């Protein structure tokens, strides 16, 4: 089949890489894509937030499946437009995507479904913000109710900073702090059947040791050797299936990728947040370990036939991805800097290590930075120790002026801590 992927980040590059390796995919397109995706898919221009334009492009290409990568097009209803044109689409409706588009909506769904999560208040005035901060105390967790590209959450013990973020948002969710390690678990669903993927852990803080400001994610790894072997089964039973069932009962069935951000607390597993799409950078490591061809699984989800899909097959290898970010990220990043070393990684480190592009563009013969998170260097190995070594060996070949990356991705897990 012909597949069209919407988006242009490292998540979409990971999706396109997996789809390009699927023998059932006869043609692969990405709109708008980036410099790296151009190596595995044919790029087409499109306004990713314009559902009519995306549906028209899919029809022109004869696409048998459209995969919507980012959250903003999903919340804008792009998947609705594609389905209305009679084209199978992997991604939830605008109504179901409110699970990510509104933190308050997600809390309401979790309450109705009995899903364990942090206690919270929805605030719209400075007085309500003050009352909520006083109710929970430090550390404060303050979340912009709407989409914020992964950077709308402030976790701090500084009350003034927490209040400033809360007051700056039109609508904000303030909740109790959840202790314990965090886990990302993806599930593919057609609105009834739920198929979990392998768990991963990402690193949100900009600097080593989980210091510095919150980011969209600076790296990830999978599997999680320290996690309870029954974690996926537990989350399926307590979180994923009840959430999918609740949305279906509301008349807004969720079909696509349901992402549960979890905290493994002393009181049990709790949901931090839901996303309505593959997470970035966790997708990079999860798909690196998936042996089952991807296109058929996504098509079954889009067509409501996921129950006919055989169990997923996984590689035993571990995977690690390290994000290389622009100068000054996550503040206003510097862009336009040339990137060198990409050919060296392809020549010397493949297939065990490879580079997935996020914020890049082609300028003549050069590839230059075009965003905050620029590259995701991904590697697989026998275990996390080997995967880390391969990833950081490849990172060392990349030259981008002023760039930054964390040096401790998966370090504690690799050491058995």
């Amino acid at each position: 089949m012909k597949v069209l992927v919407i988006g242009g980040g490292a998540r979409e590059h990971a999706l396109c890489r997996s789809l390009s390796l699927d023998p059932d995919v006869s043609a692969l397109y990405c709109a708008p894509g980036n410099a790296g995706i151009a190596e595995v898919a044919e790029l087409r221009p499109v306004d990713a937030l314009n559902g009519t334009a995306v549906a028209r492009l899919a029809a022109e290409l004869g696409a048998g499946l459209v995969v919507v990568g980012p959250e903003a097009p999903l919340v804008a209803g792009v998947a609705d437009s594609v389905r209305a044109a009679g084209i199978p689409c992997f991604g939830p409706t605008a109504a179901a995507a409110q699970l990510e588009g509104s933190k308050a909506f997600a809390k309401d769904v979790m309450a109705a479904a009995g899903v364990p999560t942090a206690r919270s208040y929805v605030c719209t005035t400075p007085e309500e913000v003050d009352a909520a901060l006083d109710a929970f105390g430090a550390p404060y967790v303050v979340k912009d109710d709407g989409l914020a590209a992964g950077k709308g959450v402030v976790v701090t013990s500084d009350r003034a900073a927490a209040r400033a973020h809360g007051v700056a948002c039109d609508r904000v969710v303030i909740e109790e702090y959840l202790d314990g390690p965090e886990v990302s678990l993806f599930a593919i669903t057609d609105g009834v059947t739920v198929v979990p993927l392998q768990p991963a852990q990402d690193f949100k803080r900009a600097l080593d040791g989980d210091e510095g400001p919150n980011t969209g994610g600076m790296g990830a790894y999978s599997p999680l050797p320290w996690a309870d072997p029954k974690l996926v089964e537990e989350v399926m039973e307590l979180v994923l299936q009840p959430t999918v069932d609740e949305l279906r009962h509301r008349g807004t069935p969720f079909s696509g990728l349901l992402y549960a951000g979890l905290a493994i607390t002393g009181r049990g597993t709790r949901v931090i947040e839901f996303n309505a799409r593959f997470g970035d950078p966790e997708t990079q490591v999860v798909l690196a370990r998936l042996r089952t061809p991807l296109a058929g699984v996504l098509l079954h989800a889009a067509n409501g036939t996921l129950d006919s899909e055989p169990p997923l097959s996984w590689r035993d290898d571990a995977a690690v991805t390290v994000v290389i970010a622009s100068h000054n990220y996550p503040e206003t990043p510097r862009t336009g800097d040339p990137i060198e070393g990409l050919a060296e990684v392809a020549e010397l480190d493949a297939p065990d290590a490879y580079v997935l592009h996020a914020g890049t563009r082609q300028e003549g013969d050069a590839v230059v930075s075009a965003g905050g998170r620029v590259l995701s260097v991904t590697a697989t190995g026998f275990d996390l120790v080997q995967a880390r070594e391969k990833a950081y060996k490849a990172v060392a070949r990349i030259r981008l002026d002023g760039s930054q990356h964390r040096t401790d991705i998966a370090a504690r897990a690799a050491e058995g801590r």
Side-chain angles (χ1 to χ4, degrees):
M1 73 181 124
K2 297 179 179 180
V3 181
L4 170 62
V5 176
I6 302 300
R11 163 187 47 231
E12 288 75 38
H13 194 173
L15 287 164
C16 285
R17 179 181 182 274
S18 292
L19 290 166
S20 73
L21 299 173
D22 189 330
D24 288 336
V25 175
S26 58
L28 180 60
Y29 306 93
C30 187
N34 62 39
I37 295 175
E39 297 177 5
V40 295
E42 184 177 324
L43 303 190
R44 293 298 178 93
V46 77
D47 178 355
L49 297 178
N50 185 328
T52 301
V54 171
R56 185 186 306 118
L57 175 62
E60 290 172 358
L61 296 173
L65 174 66
V66 175
V67 180
V68 182
E71 60 274 23
L74 292 168
V75 172
V78 166
D80 305 67
S81 298
V82 173
R83 288 194 187 92
I87 302 169
C89 185
F90 182 80
T93 63
Q98 284 302 303
L99 202 61
E100 177 171 4
S102 169
K103 304 291 190 300
F105 176 79
K107 287 289 187 181
D108 184 63
V109 170
M110 284 187 270
V115 170
T117 187
R119 294 178 297 121
S120 63
Y121 294 100
V122 178
C123 307
T124 57
T125 67
E127 293 76 19
E128 290 175 344
V129 169
D130 288 333
L133 294 174
D134 290 341
F136 290 128
Y140 305 101
V141 182
V142 186
K143 300 180 177 182
D144 190 336
D145 180 56
L147 295 179
K151 297 187 284 289
V153 179
V154 168
V155 181
T156 179
S157 293
D158 183 336
R159 191 184 189 284
R163 185 181 191 278
H165 182 66
V167 171
C169 300
D170 291 334
R171 195 179 193 209
V172 67
V173 174
I174 297 175
E175 62 185 39
E176 65 176 328
Y177 176 77
L178 297 175
D179 64 326
E182 296 184 11
V183 173
S184 299
L185 184 61
F186 302 161
I188 293 172
T189 178
D190 60 6
V192 178
T193 301
V194 181
V195 176
L197 306 186
Q198 290 290 304
Q201 185 175 62
D202 78 332
F203 295 76
K204 290 294 188 190
R205 297 289 184 172
L207 307 176
D208 285 4
D210 290 327
E211 299 290 336
N214 221 37
T215 72
M218 295 298 291
Y221 69 94
S222 178
L224 312 182
W226 50 267
D228 188 324
K230 295 184 178 180
L231 175 64
V232 174
E233 180 182 332
E234 175 194 349
V235 175
M236 270 289 293
E237 180 182 347
L238 296 179
V239 176
L240 297 172
Q241 192 69 58
T243 300
V244 169
D245 291 345
E246 171 63 21
L247 286 167
R248 186 176 69 255
H249 295 153
R250 290 179 177 221
T252 54
F254 188 105
S255 172
L257 194 289
L258 178 58
Y259 165 131
L262 309 164
I264 313 302
T265 78
R267 295 175 292 140
T269 302
R270 299 287 186 271
V271 174
I272 300 171
E273 64 176 354
F274 282 127
N275 289 337
R277 39 72 194 182
F278 281 101
D280 183 345
E282 300 97 318
T283 301
Q284 289 86 301
V285 291
V286 172
L287 292 186
R289 300 186 58 225
L290 179 63
R291 192 187 301 274
T292 301
L294 183 61
V297 184
L298 302 186
L299 184 62
H300 276 305
N303 286 336
T305 54
L306 198 54
D307 59 346
S308 66
E309 174 71 22
L312 299 180
S313 174
W314 296 92
R315 296 182 176 89
D316 293 331
D317 287 356
V320 171
T321 193
V322 180
V323 171
I324 297 177
S326 293
H327 174 74
N328 202 40
Y329 178 77
E331 302 304 322
T332 304
R334 191 176 76 205
T335 60
D337 289 310
I339 303 166
E340 299 177 337
L342 297 173
E344 294 173 35
V345 175
E347 178 184 354
L348 301 173
D349 301 307
D352 293 342
Y354 48 89
V355 180
L356 298 170
H357 291 229
T360 69
R361 70 173 181 268
Q362 194 81 35
E363 282 193 357
D365 294 333
V367 176
V368 303
S369 61
R373 292 186 294 173
V374 181
L375 304 169
S376 286
V377 180
T378 304
T380 56
F382 174 75
D383 56 15
L384 286 174
V385 172
Q386 190 180 70
R388 285 192 82 246
E389 289 174 353
K390 292 179 178 180
Y392 279 106
K393 185 178 180 180
V395 167
R397 302 191 199 279
I398 304 296
R399 298 177 295 281
L400 172 62
D401 186 46
S403 67
Q404 55 178 310
H405 66 270
R406 284 184 57 159
T407 66
D408 62 346
I409 303 300
R412 290 175 61 87
E415 295 166 1
R417 294 188 288 149

